[in-house]
Amino acid sequence: MLPLARLLRFPQPSRPSVRPQFQTCAAVTRTPRYVHSASKPNISELLTTSEDEDVWIKRRPLPTTTSIKYTIPTDPYLLADKFQRMEREGKVDDAVAIVMQTKTACQSQVLWNLVIDAYAKKGRLSRALRASTEMRRRGFRPTQTTFTALLKACALCDGEKSLAMAESIYRSIEDANVEPSIIHVNTLLSVYQHKHKVQPILNIYNSLPANGPMAPTLTTYTILLSALRRELIMRIDELKNEPLEPSAQKGEKKIRVDRRSAHIKKNMRQVFDNLMLAWYSYADDAVRRIDSADADDTTPLHIDAHIVNIVLKSCHAVYGVNRALGRKGLKIAEQVYGMDKSLHAGGSEGTAQPPTSKENPTPLAARIRRSESRKPSESMSKFNTINIDTIDLVLELCKRDQEPTKAIRFWQSLEKHFAADLEPIQSNFTERIDKFRGQMPWNNKPTPKKD
């Protein structure tokens, strides 16, 4: 895993900007801990302060009356099941009111975690925190699931204090004698992502170990790359919206202010370089975990089409302002899905010599899938190695770069290594592939004149 933060040394803009800027940071080598001023209380203090002292959330009690009459189960398992059914029907407040009317003996940790999670899904942070208070009052200790739900509520809440609350909740996990997990870290990262805070995401990523249960997962890398892609888009938009020099507007050619433009381009390049570094760190981790699958308890990494699409979309975005950077998307497509070298530009498909294994290595996605097939798990079914958007992004990049040969090589590699994934969507690309074949070099040779 590569330390991204060491590369983030972005200069400040020459004039004020409303967009957040990356700050210089150093690599961290311990579990992320967040230091804040003493005036900010921790979560236990937030849940016990009086209404006058509470500056974080509005003290609103949970509902205790229902809109209609319901039968109330006395068995904890049946009560939890009824709560879930009512939540699916959109009757969250009625379901919570039923819980509040039952005796403590009929409740459980599972039930209260369901209550907190129900409010968290809707971003109702104050209600989720209030539910956690009620949970503690009834003698139920918070679990890992409790803190995950509270952090999720912070991520989906638009309140100004939700970010500080999330940091406080994360700090309180160990204080509650609960072991932090990578799920808590990822949920905290999602809070920073929703609040558009890139630098804390990088700091936390650099603090994670390379191996073990706290090593980065696919979710970690997805959040990291998504945050960097958003920052990249902001830099590109800033470059496109750069105002013109007043004197230049009078001429036929309108040019941008060279000095300011160069500054923005440098920032954009640094963001893109870090995005690529994050991708290659993810790919290297995936390969390394294949080789050491039996050595430790590190979670394996899958190749998911969503994370590949994030990088390919970034390459498309930057292509318009820097073609050399945009073309790196083709390198990534070749790394993940392969480009069959049996097709050579100098001759037809039938006359090409078979390439060596060094020239035509097994694509990363195929190699990981082969490893997963030896140890099948339930998590494998949750990921799509490739989808219709992935193929569309690669073929469109080949079109923009005028590379029909690479388009055909990519397609042939899909037919060879990912036939099952390709079959349901193959007909969507038949016309485009035929068009690429018509642009191949041997189809453009001049016809010899007859005597």
Side-chain angles (χ1 to χ4, degrees), residues 373-393:
S373 64
R374 294 195 294 267
K375 295 180 179 181
S377 63
E378 294 181 2
S379 61
M380 288 175 56
S381 60
K382 300 179 182 179
F383 302 98
N384 293 321
T385 302
I386 191 169
N387 59 25
I388 191 169
D389 292 332
T390 313
I391 301 175
D392 181 69
L393 287 167

Side-chain angles (χ1 to χ4, degrees), residues 146-219:
T146 309
F147 287 103
T148 301
L150 289 173
L151 289 170
K152 184 196 301 181
C154 294
L156 299 179
C157 177
D158 296 329
E160 296 179 359
K161 303 294 185 180
S162 58
L163 178 57
M165 177 62 76
E167 294 172 338
S168 186
I169 290 172
Y170 185 84
R171 289 198 306 273
S172 69
I173 294 177
E174 291 182 353
D175 298 336
N177 295 322
V178 175
E179 184 179 359
S181 70
I182 190 62
I183 296 176
H184 297 131
V185 175
N186 290 338
T187 312
L188 180 61
L189 291 179
S190 69
V191 178
Y192 286 119
Q193 182 187 12
H194 281 83
K195 308 304 178 185
H196 310 310
K197 303 292 184 182
V198 179
Q199 192 63 48
I201 294 177
L202 293 163
N203 292 343
I204 294 175
Y205 167 78
N206 284 317
S207 72
L208 297 175
N211 302 299
M214 292 295 286
T217 63
L218 179 64
T219 302

Side-chain angles (χ1 to χ4, degrees), residues 390-427:
T390 313
I391 301 175
D392 181 69
L393 287 167
V394 176
L395 294 182
E396 184 62 25
L397 198 56
C398 291
K399 179 182 177 181
R400 294 182 71 176
D401 206 45
Q402 299 181 1
E403 288 281 4
T405 302
K406 289 186 177 181
I408 300 303
R409 286 176 174 174
F410 169 71
W411 185 258
Q412 290 186 171
S413 183
L414 294 183
E415 291 178 327
K416 179 178 179 181
H417 298 285
F418 308 97
D421 303 86
L422 190 61
E423 184 177 0
I425 57 177
Q426 189 168 4
S427 59

